[in-house]
Amino acid sequence: MIRSKRLLFLFRLIVGGVFVWAGILKIADPLEFAQNIKNYHFFPHEMIFFIAIVLPWVEVLSGGFLILGIFRRSSALIISVLLAVFIGLVGLALLRGIDTSCGCFGSFSRKADLSLILADAILLFFSLSILKGQALERRTVPAGKASSAA
Amino acid sequence: MEVKKLVRETGVIVVACILLGAAVNFSLVRRFFAGEFREAYIDREKYAGLRFITLAEAGDLFARGLAVFIDSRMRGDFVSGHIPGALSLPLDEVKDPADVGERLKQGPLSLSAEKTLVVYCEGEDCQTSVALAKLIHGQGFRDIRVLMGGWAEWRAAGLPVEESP
């Protein structure tokens, strides 16, 4: 487990930055994003519309909060869940032979392939490290206070 | 206690995002509930002239020779069978959108921007026809129709088919 605060701060900047950037590009063109989700052939047509207008904001807010250090654990949790879902979706698309753009960065999107799964897995490792690191910090701080009081 | 806080904070973020998304995209939400975006997520204002047609409309255009059909499926699928006279423009072979315009305008068909084009792919679920139609629209064509049921519906209806040598 990673305990270095500097390293965890760097992870927050990287993961948060990627999510804010990805979210802003999708907010700029929600219909394009909806069409990208449709290409995965996974969600019902009507549901896609609501995902496309809400998900980019989830990315921007949780990414921004992660950078700023507000709601750090919940932001890391949301991002971890999203990354796990993205990995699953791309994996499923590959298994079903669907050749599509990932739709992750608006018009700058890349192909949904194994390298994307790897990139998402690295980000997932970072976000889980933030989540675990934060949980550890919360558990050790009261203990420290207690020992200093004694 | 900690889990409760985590759930509460997560809920706050999600609810805030739902409200933000709905507020910022209010006009899109209204258009969605008015029945728009049922076939594909295409902005009719941005892609004026691009519309979705049924097999009956496509069959009529074909019979009267009023449209050029464009097949966006992969080359191998086109060779196995396609709508007679259709032009093969596989989306996966398009590297530059300008090439699409050049092929349509300066190719053997020398199509004018006013020509009616019907784009199709494999079936109802495929999306390459929509993506190709958007690219063609970007090249100045203004009467582009996407055959919703695609090749599968055309073939199942027993309409004329052609095989490439």
Side-chain angles (χ1 to χ4, degrees), chain A residues 27 29-32 34-35 38-39 41 44-50 52-54 57-59 61-62 65 71-75 77-78 99 131 135 138-139, chain B residues 2-3 5-6 9-10 12-14 16-18 20-22 24-25 28-29 31-33 37-43 46-47 92 124-127 130 134:
Chain A
I27 286 168
D29 195 347
L31 291 179
E32 179 76 33
Q35 196 58 38
K38 196 171 165 68
N39 292 346
H41 304 293
H45 185 82
E46 284 72 21
M47 190 180 169
I48 288 171
F49 179 77
F50 296 100
I53 61 167
V54 174
W57 287 99
V58 176
E59 292 182 338
L61 253 68
S62 48
F65 285 159
F71 293 151
R72 218 183 296 178
R73 279 190 79 199
S74 40
S75 298
L77 176 69
I78 290 172
D99 184 16
L131 191 63
R138 275 172 183 268
R139 276 200 296 270
Chain B
E2 258 196 35
V3 176
K5 195 182 172 202
L6 189 65
E9 285 179 3
T10 306
V12 167
I13 295 175
V14 172
C17 292
I18 293 171
L20 268 169
V24 171
N25 299 294
L28 282 183
V29 173
R31 285 161 64 187
F32 178 80
F33 282 112
F37 317 125
R38 288 295 182 258
E39 299 98 352
Y41 291 105
I42 285 186
D43 192 341
K46 196 171 160 188
Y47 293 99
D92 64 333
E124 209 166 321
D125 277 345
C126 67
Q127 298 299 317
V130 177
K134 284 162 80 176

Side-chain angles (χ1 to χ4, degrees), chain B:
Chain B
M1 195 66 183
E2 258 196 35
V3 176
K4 259 189 183 176
K5 195 182 172 202
L6 189 65
V7 171
R8 198 174 57 232
E9 285 179 3
T10 306
V12 167
I13 295 175
V14 172
V15 169
C17 292
I18 293 171
L19 294 175
L20 268 169
V24 171
N25 299 294
F26 185 68
S27 70
L28 282 183
V29 173
R30 215 169 45 184
R31 285 161 64 187
F32 178 80
F33 282 112
E36 218 177 309
F37 317 125
R38 288 295 182 258
E39 299 98 352
Y41 291 105
I42 285 186
D43 192 341
R44 282 182 191 159
E45 291 162 12
K46 196 171 160 188
Y47 293 99
L50 197 162
R51 59 191 188 89
F52 294 83
I53 59 168
T54 60
L55 179 70
E57 289 173 81
D60 183 50
L61 287 169
F62 175 80
R64 292 160 63 198
L66 293 177
V68 170
F69 285 72
I70 297 175
D71 191 315
S72 66
R73 297 174 302 155
M74 286 192 275
R75 188 78 62 188
D77 296 330
F78 178 83
V79 170
S80 311
H82 53 262
I83 295 175
L87 183 72
S88 174
L89 251 175
L91 187 71
D92 64 333
E93 287 179 20
V94 175
K95 300 282 178 261
D96 181 1
D99 292 343
V100 174
E102 206 171 297
R103 258 192 86 181
L104 294 174
K105 289 173 183 166
Q106 288 160 20
L109 295 172
S110 300
L111 302 173
S112 71
E114 288 75 38
K115 186 73 190 171
T116 302
L117 307 177
V118 178
V119 190
Y120 69 93
C121 52
E122 191 54 47
E124 209 166 321
D125 277 345
C126 67
Q127 298 299 317
T128 57
S129 55
V130 177
L132 185 64
K134 284 162 80 176
L135 284 181
I136 293 172
H137 187 276
Q139 296 305 306
F141 287 87
R142 287 296 174 265
D143 186 3
I144 308 158
R145 308 177 192 193
V146 175
L147 172 56
M148 287 188 291
W151 168 246
E153 194 183 24
W154 181 278
R155 198 183 41 190
L159 289 164
V161 297
E162 183 179 74
E163 280 177 27
S164 291

